[in-house]
Amino acid sequence: MGFIPDRRIEAEATEAAAEMIERARRNFDVALDFTDASIRKVEALLQQLHLRARNDKPSDAQVFDYAKGLGSYVGEVFRRNHGAEWGVVALGDDSYPGMRSAQREQLFWPWRRAYNRIVNGPEDNVWHYYQLLVERAGGTLAVHDDGMPSNFAPPTMNYGRARAAATAKASPSVRFSANALGGVPGRAKRPATSAAPAPVRRPWWKFW
């Protein structure tokens, strides 16, 4: 197993992470700030994508697109807070984009882990993965006694609030407003006597 630093992969990952921050803010009202604690928010986002993927059946390329964005963000958080570099990890005759930690030189693949999280579900929990990476690198996380990072603010799960906000702004046509995690469409404002329409559901990958 070997590792070769690659500035092109680093540039690609940093760009993907920046795009992910904007997507999370714009479409899900989730603030990602490069803190260790923000990986809990990434885990919550990945769980929602996993649940949606079971029904929406996105293509492998679509899954990888989001895995790359979220995995790049995870890798950048680790790099900025604990030290690492992007490059190519060689495994036998194969090679993959990955990272090497500055301390103890452990190798890891955040893109692949995020992909596995979407496909396999909670068994590939990214928050647990991140904690293990930090531990193996000899770092520490600031956490409460309950295991929650001290600066963690969980993404809102209140679908009602998202719908209410969308209704307040709605014109006669339907407006879509993704809430913090689920991307639930808002509904057009209608008279109280009319029946509420069924929520319009879009494939999860079309929200980003």
Side-chain angles (χ1 to χ4, degrees):
M1 183 181 299
F3 179 83
I4 302 174
D6 192 319
R7 291 295 179 86
R8 291 172 299 177
I9 293 177
E10 178 179 331
E12 192 174 344
T14 54
E15 181 180 358
E19 290 177 356
M20 180 55 57
I21 291 172
E22 176 58 24
R23 287 176 171 183
R25 182 198 64 78
R26 182 179 66 247
N27 296 324
F28 299 104
D29 194 28
V30 171
L32 299 177
D33 57 5
F34 290 112
T35 60
D36 288 336
S38 68
I39 304 302
R40 288 293 296 267
K41 298 179 183 180
V42 172
E43 168 60 25
L45 286 169
L46 287 165
Q47 170 64 3
Q48 293 298 318
L49 295 178
H50 168 69
L51 295 174
R52 285 179 173 271
R54 292 191 301 184
N55 295 321
D56 295 337
K57 309 299 183 185
S59 69
D60 192 66
Q62 289 166 328
V63 172
F64 180 74
D65 181 46
Y66 305 115
K68 178 181 176 181
L70 289 165
S72 291
Y73 177 80
V74 170
E76 278 298 287
V77 172
F78 186 92
R79 185 178 71 85
R80 294 178 182 218
N81 296 326
H82 305 283
E85 57 186 337
W86 289 93
V88 177
V89 179
L91 293 172
D93 295 331
D94 298 320
S95 60
Y96 308 92
M99 303 189 77
R100 179 174 63 186
S101 64
Q103 302 295 327
R104 304 181 183 177
E105 297 190 347
Q106 65 174 326
L107 304 179
F108 55 102
W109 304 264
W111 292 0
R112 185 65 189 186
R113 182 65 177 217
Y115 177 90
N116 289 346
R117 179 62 179 87
I118 296 173
V119 173
N120 299 332
E123 68 188 71
D124 285 299
N125 186 293
V126 166
W127 171 237
H128 297 163
Y129 170 76
Y130 187 83
Q131 292 179 86
L132 183 60
L133 291 177
V134 173
E135 179 183 347
R136 288 180 175 176
T140 58
L141 296 171
V143 297
H144 292 307
D145 290 340
D146 62 1
M148 187 70 72
S150 58
N151 58 340
F152 173 63
T156 176
M157 295 287 285
N158 191 332
Y159 288 92
R161 182 172 67 84
R163 290 196 182 105
T167 300
K169 298 178 182 178
S171 67
S173 62
V174 173
R175 291 177 181 268
F176 293 99
S177 175
N179 84 330
L181 294 179
V184 176
R187 286 182 262 185
K189 188 174 183 180
R190 293 174 178 271
T193 55
S194 65
V200 179
R201 195 168 188 279
R202 298 163 68 191
W204 61 268
W205 62 87
K206 291 187 178 180
F207 283 99
W208 287 12

